[in-house]
């Protein structure tokens, strides 16, 4: 087994097993547009598609990271009249170290304010300045202006609630609690997806004229990730299997200030907006060390990838606390500033720590992927019938994402992908591309059939090992030696995985999930090894400097397996 053919789709299976597993348990339904995912990007896509008049079904297992969002960027100019889309574009490209797809950057910069106004019209209770005409806006890391709008009690949940109400009012059909098994795809492109209802033998094949993939990124590929368990690379792997191109897989951003102590709050992201408000970072000696790294601004006017490196250096060189972090001190904030972070203050006080009187310990942790499915500025993946949005898609953020842009991305490109998926669905329906029986339902089962066998195997230890390999060898610091050890570790995992089989549907799906995790992990390592420079969220100890010759995407397509190739930036 080589690095270039690691766990590729289409591995031959037992033909007798393929005829019998699973049998007679697939229900078929039809829709115009199928949206996969349960977060903001998915709901924005479903609403935008439904508003064109087509039928829309939304299927999801969980909400992903959307409920934990604390704000999003919109260049309204309410807090600073000099802010505008051009300034926003400059910040994104600077924060992405020049690797951003300029088509996507322009789209995001010019559509983010409209997304804010649409959400406000839906009743999202954004914090407003006195008089109510203008939004309160926070200054987040990597931004030159205060442009993040927010809901004090929790932005993510407020936005999701408003979008769900709108989707239901429009008649979007929701299928919650469904696990996405895979896409139905063939020579003519993507034609739907197979769903499984956990704790049952119920499989549903949703035939669709267009599909929007909005299932999140790669967060759970890393040990100690901040991401929820339902985000582990499935979207990227499924799109890859269907013929889409993946880009920028080496860029995993480490959130700089993730809570280490108190232990009851471990894994909670402290808002970088607090640092913009005046909170400070201090090492074990009490030194405000960011003044050494970023004078005179310290914690402000610095994007997150660089801040994470500064914090990690303090820890690595022995200036951190014994627990493995640095102090995040919000005691310096004015009470009204501190208490505007309602959920964070409540969680800390429930754990016995009052942020008004005591700092908390923080350290970097794997947080968000810059890479994903390559899309154009219509959200199209290049595969007929397949669109992508949110963190499932790559290109907009380049080598690092400025704070507050994750949510802006989901809102803008969710709507873009939904609208254009609806257009594609109407065109495909008019052309009668989706004739009944054109694609056998059994084709959607092929990935599962490969793992069917007489024994019951538990791949959980292999999933855990994949996360450990990436955390150890493709973490915040990388080197050729470490990356090659990581590849060797993945080959061992692959060999062990090949020996496993499952006698039932849940077991086969667990093995398929592990295969997909391993495939995405292999791409992360291969791209990180190929990129012989340091840029943004990718830092090589053996190539510590940036190199303009690497101002290009590294991409993967199923025809080339895990061998990255260079593609230009649009």
């Amino acid at each position: 087994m080589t690095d270039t053919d690691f766990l590729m789709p289409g591995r031959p299976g037992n033909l007798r097993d393929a005829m019998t597993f699973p049998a007679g348990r697939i229900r078929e339904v039809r829709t115009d547009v199928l949206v996969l995912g349960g977060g903001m990007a998915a709901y924005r896509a479903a609403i935008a598609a439904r508003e064109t008049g087509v039928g829309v079904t939304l299927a999801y297992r969980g909400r992903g990271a959307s409920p934990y969002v604390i704000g999003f960027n919109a260049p309204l100019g309410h807090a600073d009249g000099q802010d505008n889309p051009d300034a926003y574009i400059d910040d994104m490209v600077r924060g992405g170290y020049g690797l951003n797809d300029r088509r996507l950057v322009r789209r995001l910069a010019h559509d983010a304010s409209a997304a804010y106004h649409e959400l406000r019209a839906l009743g999202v209770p954004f914090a407003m300045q006195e008089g109510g005409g203008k939004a309160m806006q926070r200054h987040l890391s990597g931004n030159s202006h205060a442009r993040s709008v927010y809901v004090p009690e929790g932005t993510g949940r407020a936005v999701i609630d408003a979008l769900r109400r709108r989707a239901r009012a429009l008649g979007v059909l929701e299928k919650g609690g469904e696990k996405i098994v895979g896409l139905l795809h063939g020579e003519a492109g993507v034609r739907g997806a197979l769903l499984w209802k956990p704790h049952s033998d119920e499989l549903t094949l949703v035939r669709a004229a267009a599909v929007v993939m909005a299932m999140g990124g790669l967060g759970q590929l890393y040990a100690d990730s901040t991401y929820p368990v339902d985000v582990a690379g499935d979207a990227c792997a499924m799109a890859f299997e269907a013929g889409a191109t993946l880009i920028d897989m080496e860029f995993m951003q480490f959130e700089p200030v993730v809570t280490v102590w108190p232990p009851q709050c471990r894994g909670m992201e402290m808002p970088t907006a607090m640092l913009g408000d005046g909170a400070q970072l201090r090492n074990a000696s009490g030194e405000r060390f960011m003044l050494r790294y970023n004078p005179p601004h310290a914690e402000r006017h610095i994007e997150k990838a660089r801040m994470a490196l500064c914090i990690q250096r303090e820890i690595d060189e022995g200036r951190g606390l014994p627990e493995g972090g640095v102090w995040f001190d919000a005691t310096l904030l004015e009470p009204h500033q501190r208490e505007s972070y309602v959920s964070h203050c409540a969680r800390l006080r429930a754990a016995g720590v009052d942020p008004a009187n005591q700092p908390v310990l923080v350290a970097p942790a794997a947080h968000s992927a810059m890479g994903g499915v390559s899309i154009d500025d219509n959200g199209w993946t290049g595969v007929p019938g397949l669109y992508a949005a949110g963190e499932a898609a790559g290109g907009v953020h380049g080598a690092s994402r400025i704070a507050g842009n994750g949510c802006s991305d989901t809102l803008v490109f969710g709507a873009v992908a939904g609208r254009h998926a609806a257009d594609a669905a109407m065109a495909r329906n008019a052309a009668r591309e989706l004739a009944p029986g054109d694609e056998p339902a059994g084709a959607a089962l092929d990935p599962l059939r490969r793992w069917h066998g007489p024994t019951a195997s538990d791949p959980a230890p292999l999933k855990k090992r994949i996360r450990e390999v990436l955390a150890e060898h493709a973490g915040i610091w990388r080197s050729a030696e470490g990356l090659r050890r990581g590849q060797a570790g993945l080959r061992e995992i692959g060999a062990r995985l090949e020996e496993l089989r499952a006698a039932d549907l849940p077991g086969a799906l667990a093995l398929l999930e592990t295969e997909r995790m391993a495939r995405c992990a292999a791409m992360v390592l291969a791209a990180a090894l190929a990129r012989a420079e340091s840029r943004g969220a990718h830092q090589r100890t053996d190539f510590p400097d940036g190199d303009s010759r690497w101002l290009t995407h590294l991409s993967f397509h199923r025809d080339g397996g895990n061998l990255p190739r260079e593609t230009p930036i649009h």
Side-chain angles (χ1 to χ4, degrees):
M1 184 183 297
T2 69
D3 290 341
T4 58
D5 66 9
F6 181 80
L7 293 177
M8 286 297 296
R11 178 173 57 80
N14 184 293
L15 293 179
R16 184 174 62 184
D17 290 344
M19 297 296 293
T20 61
F21 173 75
R25 299 196 297 272
I26 303 179
R27 184 170 68 96
E28 289 194 31
V29 298
R30 288 184 178 270
T31 190
D32 294 316
V33 173
L34 173 63
V35 180
L36 302 176
M40 293 181 192
Y43 274 98
R44 281 279 287 176
I47 291 167
R50 183 69 184 123
E51 286 176 339
T52 70
V54 302
V56 178
T57 298
L58 185 146
Y60 59 90
R61 179 70 188 275
R63 299 292 181 207
S66 289
Y68 309 103
V69 165
I70 65 169
F72 69 90
N73 293 327
L76 302 169
H78 290 182
D80 185 339
Q82 295 186 357
D83 194 17
N84 56 51
D86 288 338
Y88 190 16
I89 288 171
D90 289 344
D91 287 347
M92 278 191 267
V93 175
R94 186 184 309 109
Y97 294 82
L99 202 61
N100 320 62
D101 185 323
R102 303 306 196 272
R103 302 169 302 173
L104 306 184
V105 169
R106 285 193 295 270
R107 172 77 81 165
L108 180 56
H110 287 282
D111 287 7
S113 294
Y116 160 78
H117 289 297
E118 289 173 21
L119 290 173
R120 193 174 177 212
L122 291 178
V124 176
F126 292 106
M128 305 299 291
Q129 297 179 28
E130 188 174 349
K134 293 184 177 182
M136 298 285 287
Q137 293 186 277
R138 289 168 169 163
H139 196 154
L140 305 187
S141 61
N143 292 268
S144 59
H145 301 276
R147 62 167 64 103
S148 174
V149 296
Y150 63 95
V151 177
E153 293 75 21
T155 307
R157 294 190 184 280
V159 171
I160 284 285
D161 288 346
L163 293 176
R164 289 186 72 190
R165 289 193 298 269
R166 177 62 176 162
R168 289 175 176 176
L170 288 171
V172 172
L173 176 63
E174 293 186 55
K175 293 179 66 65
E178 300 273 354
K179 176 69 179 176
I180 316 303
V181 177
L183 298 174
L184 179 63
H185 59 89
E187 293 183 2
V190 171
R191 299 171 176 269
L194 184 66
L195 316 178
W196 171 59
K197 191 73 171 178
H199 312 297
S200 76
D201 60 359
E202 179 183 331
L203 286 165
T204 302
L205 181 65
V206 183
R207 293 189 182 272
V211 174
V212 178
M213 185 71 77
M215 296 163 54
L218 306 173
Q220 275 293 316
L221 285 185
Y222 281 76
D224 292 325
S225 165
T226 65
Y227 259 62
V229 295
D230 58 327
V231 182
D234 281 347
C236 291
M238 291 177 194
F240 177 80
E241 292 163 10
T245 296
L246 304 183
I247 62 171
D248 299 339
M249 297 291 280
E250 65 270 38
F251 295 108
M252 173 61 65
Q253 188 175 74
F254 283 70
E255 181 70 18
V257 285
V258 177
T259 305
V260 175
W261 180 90
Q264 298 93 322
C265 297
R266 186 178 182 88
M268 179 180 74
E269 303 159 42
M270 290 300 292
T272 58
M274 273 191 173
L275 299 174
D277 288 341
Q280 298 178 0
L281 297 173
R282 300 184 182 277
N283 60 23
S285 301
E287 175 198 8
R288 190 183 178 191
F289 60 88
M290 286 303 301
L291 285 170
R292 276 192 279 112
Y293 295 106
N294 188 40
H297 306 293
E299 297 85 4
R300 303 186 68 177
H301 299 291
I302 181 172
E303 62 88 20
K304 291 206 281 188
R306 187 178 166 212
M307 184 187 295
L309 291 170
C310 297
I311 294 171
Q312 192 62 49
R313 189 176 297 279
E314 290 296 297
I315 296 169
D316 292 345
E317 294 181 358
R319 293 184 292 275
L321 280 296
E323 295 83 356
V326 297
W327 292 118
F328 185 107
D329 187 359
T331 64
L332 305 169
L333 299 182
E334 294 294 330
H336 74 275
Q337 292 177 309
R338 185 172 48 251
E339 299 308 318
S340 70
Y341 301 90
V342 175
S343 61
H344 291 80
C345 289
R347 285 190 63 183
L348 288 169
R349 288 179 177 129
V353 174
D354 186 347
N357 303 316
Q358 189 174 3
V360 300
L361 277 178
V362 297
H367 175 61
S368 56
M370 306 303 99
V373 183
S374 178
I375 60 171
D376 66 10
D377 56 350
N378 295 327
W380 185 44
T381 67
V383 177
L386 183 62
Y387 293 75
E391 203 168 312
V396 64
H397 304 296
S400 186
R401 190 175 79 190
I402 63 174
N405 250 21
C407 184
S408 304
D409 178 0
T410 64
L411 294 171
V412 168
F413 287 103
V416 167
R419 286 194 298 269
H420 288 277
D423 292 342
M426 288 187 282
R428 296 184 94 188
N429 286 337
R432 298 186 181 276
E433 286 190 29
L434 301 178
D438 192 29
E439 192 77 46
L445 289 172
D446 288 343
L448 284 175
R449 287 170 172 155
R450 294 199 307 273
W451 296 108
H452 181 223
T455 59
S457 305
D458 179 12
L462 296 186
K463 289 183 177 181
K464 180 174 181 289
R465 183 60 189 141
I466 291 169
R467 296 183 178 110
E468 291 171 346
V469 165
L470 281 197
E472 181 178 358
H473 300 297
I476 200 165
W477 302 109
R478 291 106 181 258
S479 69
E481 180 183 0
L483 291 165
R484 291 193 179 102
R485 284 202 302 268
Q487 289 181 321
L490 279 188
R491 284 193 291 271
E492 293 176 6
I493 292 168
R496 291 169 59 189
L497 181 59
E498 289 282 346
E499 298 172 354
L500 304 184
R501 292 295 181 271
D504 59 14
L505 178 59
L509 185 54
L511 291 171
L512 177 59
E513 289 172 343
T514 309
E515 177 190 29
R516 286 170 170 160
M517 285 180 65
R519 184 180 301 135
C520 289
M523 293 181 196
V524 171
L525 291 170
L529 181 60
R531 183 172 288 278
E533 67 156 357
S534 290
R535 184 179 298 273
H538 166 75
Q539 294 290 314
R540 290 278 297 264
T541 56
D542 47 352
F543 291 98
D545 299 320
D547 188 333
S548 61
R549 291 175 298 179
W550 283 102
L551 201 58
T552 181
H553 296 303
L554 292 178
S555 65
F556 297 88
H557 190 270
R558 66 185 181 190
D559 293 341
N562 289 334
L563 184 65
R565 62 187 181 190
E566 293 186 36
T567 55
I569 300 170
H570 288 279

